[in-house]
Structure formats: structure tokens, C-alpha cells
Amino acid sequence: MDKYDNDNIFARILRGKIPATILCEDDMTLAFMDIMPRADGHCLVIPKAPSRNILDVKPQDIAAVMQTVQKISRAVMKGFDADGLTIQQFNEQAGGQMVFHLHVHVIPRFDGVRLGPHTGIMADTDLLEKNAEIIRAAL
Ligand code: AMP
């Protein structure tokens, strides 16, 4: 497995070098909107500690991530009045991972609505902010 790359895109978001539509943050985690959402309200939770994926993350960091995932999941369900949620997490290229800083996807789901493609179209910033506001209000 390659070592952690400090210049990966989520590391740069954590350093404030590139913008993100932030939902919430605590000492150990950050939650923000996925820029190419598979559904309206698709968001990501990451640890602040440098972790490539599930294989190298420290137990306390993955535990903190999952606590934030649960908090965000409840807000997404409530805010979007969703019927369900899909939680995804990919590891290494063969596992579908494209950004090599551990992240967990939270995607609202609706009965009869199929999931969009994994790498789809870049969302409009205003739409991301509108959807973020729905989630923030439900937190
Ligand atoms: P994966 O590593 O396969 O879980 O996919 C990386 C995810 O990160 C995809 O869903 C992308 O849409 C998302 N993504 C990539 N760059 C950004 C960014 N700058 N801000 C927010 N989400 C991003």
C-alpha cells in the first residue's frame, strides 16, 4: 500500500487550501458536501488525522468518524425526509477509492430512485450550499 500523500485533495481541504461546503466539524472529524453527488444531499465524513483508508486509520479516528457519520446520517434523513441511506467507503484503487484520505459517504435514498453514477457531474456550488443548509438545519 502506498503511504499517505499530504497533498491529496481532502488534506488540502483540511488545511483550508481549497474550498469545501462544510457541514460540521469537531476536534477529530470534518463533514462536507461531495462535489460530484450521487444524489442531492450526498456528503462525506473524514478524520482530521492523516489516514489513507480503513487499512491504516487509527481505531480512535475511525470511531470518531463513525460517530460523526451517525450524526450526519440522522440529519440527512430528517432534512431530506429520506426513505433510507446508503453509506459507502472505498479502499485502494481496486476497491473503488479515488481520493486517498479516508472518507465515508452518506447518501440519502428514496423508494424507487436509483443511485447516480459514482463519478458524475460536478454540482453547482449554489445547489451544494442549499443542500448543506438543509442538513445543517437538521443537525
Ligand atoms: P472515492 O475515493 O471513490 O470514495 O471517491 C471520492 C469522492 O470524493 C467522490 O465521490 C468525489 O465526488 C468526491 N470529491 C472529490 N473531490 C472533492 C472535493 N474537492 N470536494 C468534495 N468532494 C470531492
Side-chain angles (χ1 to χ4, degrees):
M1 187 171 95
D2 287 345
K3 68 178 179 50
Y4 183 79
D5 170 14
N6 263 314
D7 279 328
N8 76 74
I9 198 121
F10 294 168
R12 283 190 269 153
I13 287 175
L14 282 167
R15 290 199 294 273
K17 298 288 181 204
I18 59 164
T21 308
I22 308 286
L23 294 169
C24 65
E25 148 169 45
D26 60 23
D27 286 351
M28 295 179 80
T29 66
L30 179 73
F32 53 97
M33 301 307 288
D34 192 298
I35 207 166
M36 290 176 277
R38 300 186 69 176
D40 273 352
H42 179 173
C43 49
L44 302 170
V45 180
I46 66 173
K48 288 189 172 174
S51 323
R52 184 175 163 91
N53 57 36
I54 197 74
L55 300 168
D56 66 341
V57 67
K58 295 205 167 64
Q60 62 270 30
D61 293 318
I62 189 68
V65 164
M66 292 317 287
Q67 282 182 38
T68 302
V69 166
Q70 187 181 49
K71 176 173 146 182
I72 289 287
S73 295
R74 288 174 172 156
V76 165
M77 281 295 282
K78 185 174 158 200
F80 285 87
D81 195 21
D83 297 315
L85 288 168
T86 295
I87 308 287
Q88 292 184 311
Q89 194 273 317
F90 303 98
N91 300 280
E92 295 301 321
Q93 201 170 3
Q97 185 174 12
M98 293 186 292
V99 176
F100 294 94
H101 181 111
L102 174 80
H103 52 281
V104 176
H105 299 256
V106 177
I107 310 171
R109 303 298 305 276
F110 299 89
D111 291 335
V113 179
R114 294 171 67 125
L115 201 56
H118 183 36
T119 312
I121 296 162
M122 194 94 82
D124 183 73
T125 315
D126 291 344
L127 178 62
L128 288 183
E129 180 51 37
K130 181 175 152 267
N131 289 335
E133 199 39 57
I134 290 169
I135 299 169
R136 289 186 203 116
L139 276 168

